[in-house]
Amino acid sequence: HFGVLPGEAMDAGAAATGSDRAGDAGIDVRFIDSSLVVTRVERGTPAYSSGIRAGWIVEEIDTMRVIESLRATSRINASARRFALVRLTLNLNGRLTGPAGGSIRIVLRDASDMRREIRVPLRATPGQVVEYGALPPMNVRFQSVRLTSSSGCIGITRFNIFITPVMPQSEDAMAGMKTCAGIVLDLRGNVGGLGAMIMGISGHYFARPETLGTMRLRDATMRYVANPIRVSRAGQPLAPYEGHVAIVVDELSASTTEILAAALQRLGRARVFGSPSAGQALPALLSKLPNGDRLMYVIADFAGPDGARIEGAGVIPDEQAPLSRRSLLEGHDQALESATRWIESKRFHQRGPG
């Protein structure tokens, strides 16, 4: 979070923004082995209806060639390159959005490496539109599902940003998952948000207050504490969740997401799966220099419950499950599958083979 980043790398792939950018194709992309790969396609979206599937390689978005954008990061040192790749990946995901009702041109390589040029319509982006501070309007999305099996259920929750509308949805989802053997917090692609929210969200998993970490600014110190939630939104008594907790992260899990994942991991309350997080846990500002480069600098320091820092290193999963194009093409989500297998195995060992 501190360094000078070349302007060409920071601007590569960046799309214009505006209040009319309320549409998307329904896909996510990440870099795998220097290729931009489709990692998720939501069913029922324009991308899915167009035949696009996870594991396909994206070569062009409209008139922009991905390889040229990636090349802009190749001349940066390793530390700064990691930060630039996070920004570039976010920019390229942003390129796959636009005004609802419009369309984007995408050139891809399918499972057989055959070149496909597809013009994909853009749906209205789902979620609640929220405005916060000087940030542009954001579509806040929260999803929760229960996977059922002969041994019980596993709850899975996903949300894309830590912001106030997530809190009531999270509490309602938890109320419906109290009997599940385990809960998976899928925080891949969640770039953070309001840091104080981790105190409420983590409160579902502890019976007594626990220190999550300390944020130190020049003139203030904030201590994050997990506050046990004793009462539901409906006013009913609420006991802490005692089942197993898994967290899934990736290279776009940043800031508040990293603080929450690291705290629950280091307190022994959660097991982390996926790939190392962004390593950008500290609040930082980005200033444009006269030559177009960017100076990135932090404005606070954060240490977790054990005094260790996340900045730079990121959250290291207990069980790494990096993305591979092959597994995506085969329809597998290795990180999520690893998390659910772990929960099932813990339940099995508790109950015994009989």
Side-chain angles (χ1 to χ4, degrees):
H1 253 127
F2 181 81
V4 175
L5 306 179
E8 60 181 321
M10 298 300 292
D11 295 332
T17 58
S19 60
D20 62 344
R21 296 191 64 79
D24 68 81
I27 63 177
D28 287 325
V29 294
R30 298 288 191 276
F31 280 104
I32 303 176
D33 298 329
S34 299
S35 294
L36 188 67
V37 179
V38 176
T39 54
R40 187 179 180 205
V41 186
E42 296 180 51
R43 290 182 178 272
T45 61
Y48 191 88
S49 300
S50 299
I52 298 173
R53 295 294 182 265
W56 288 23
I57 295 175
V58 178
E59 294 188 337
E60 298 178 29
I61 304 174
D62 287 328
T63 60
M64 188 213 67
R65 298 184 69 235
V66 172
I67 189 64
E68 293 176 358
S69 298
L70 184 61
R71 191 176 295 129
T73 69
S74 63
R75 294 181 295 277
I76 314 173
N77 66 50
S79 176
R81 187 171 189 267
R82 181 179 181 183
F83 296 143
L85 279 173
V86 170
R87 180 59 61 92
L88 177 58
T89 306
L90 290 170
N91 285 346
L92 292 171
N93 274 284
R95 278 273 183 176
L96 297 168
T97 69
S103 65
I104 53 173
R105 169 185 172 270
I106 312 178
V107 175
L108 311 100
R109 295 283 175 179
D110 64 15
S112 302
D113 285 329
M114 180 179 295
R115 185 179 186 273
R116 304 278 194 97
E117 181 175 339
I118 304 174
R119 181 157 289 277
V120 185
L122 299 178
R123 63 170 179 173
T125 300
Q128 179 180 351
V129 178
V130 173
E131 295 186 17
Y132 178 75
L135 296 174
M138 296 173 287
N139 288 77
V140 181
R141 302 184 62 188
F142 184 95
Q143 300 170 297
S144 65
V145 296
R146 283 168 53 115
L147 302 180
T148 58
S149 68
S150 58
S151 60
C153 70
I154 296 174
I156 301 175
T157 63
R158 299 184 181 97
F159 53 97
N160 63 334
I161 189 170
F162 282 81
I163 203 162
T164 47
V166 166
M167 287 303 298
Q169 297 179 80
S170 175
E171 291 185 16
D172 290 345
M174 284 299 303
M177 297 176 180
K178 286 294 185 182
T179 60
C180 287
I183 290 176
V184 180
L185 298 178
D186 188 348
L187 300 179
R188 289 174 292 184
N190 188 319
V191 294
L194 301 177
M197 282 182 56
I198 69 171
M199 295 189 283
I201 289 179
S202 61
H204 290 287
Y205 308 114
F206 294 101
R208 63 178 184 272
E210 295 281 357
T211 298
L212 304 173
T214 304
M215 184 77 73
R216 292 183 173 84
L217 293 87
R218 183 184 297 272
D219 300 315
T221 297
M222 295 182 292
R223 182 167 169 257
Y224 292 159
V225 178
N227 297 313
I229 297 176
R230 308 289 189 186
V231 181
S232 71
R233 289 209 303 144
Q236 301 298 317
L238 197 62
Y241 177 72
E242 296 180 346
H244 302 289
V245 181
I247 299 177
V248 186
V249 297
D250 69 1
E251 64 271 27
L252 294 191
S253 301
S255 188
T256 302
T257 299
E258 296 182 278
I259 292 174
L260 175 64
L264 295 186
Q265 180 189 47
R266 291 169 182 177
L267 290 170
R269 189 60 188 92
R271 187 170 177 83
V272 179
F273 298 80
S275 53
S277 63
Q280 300 184 36
L282 301 181
L285 297 178
L286 202 63
S287 297
K288 190 171 185 177
L289 301 176
N291 67 348
D293 291 347
R294 309 298 201 276
L295 173 64
M296 180 164 53
Y297 56 97
V298 300
I299 57 173
D301 187 24
F302 177 83
D306 57 354
R309 287 170 171 77
I310 314 164
E311 184 71 13
V315 179
I316 307 303
D318 299 292
E319 188 172 327
Q320 297 213 26
L323 289 169
S324 74
R325 188 186 179 209
R326 179 176 179 179
S327 65
L328 290 169
L329 289 172
E330 292 174 349
H332 292 293
D333 184 337
Q334 289 182 311
L336 185 59
E337 291 171 9
S338 295
T340 56
R341 277 198 305 269
W342 172 73
I343 291 173
E344 289 286 359
S345 70
K346 299 292 284 186
R347 184 178 179 87
F348 175 81
H349 289 309
Q350 285 180 340
R351 295 180 60 187

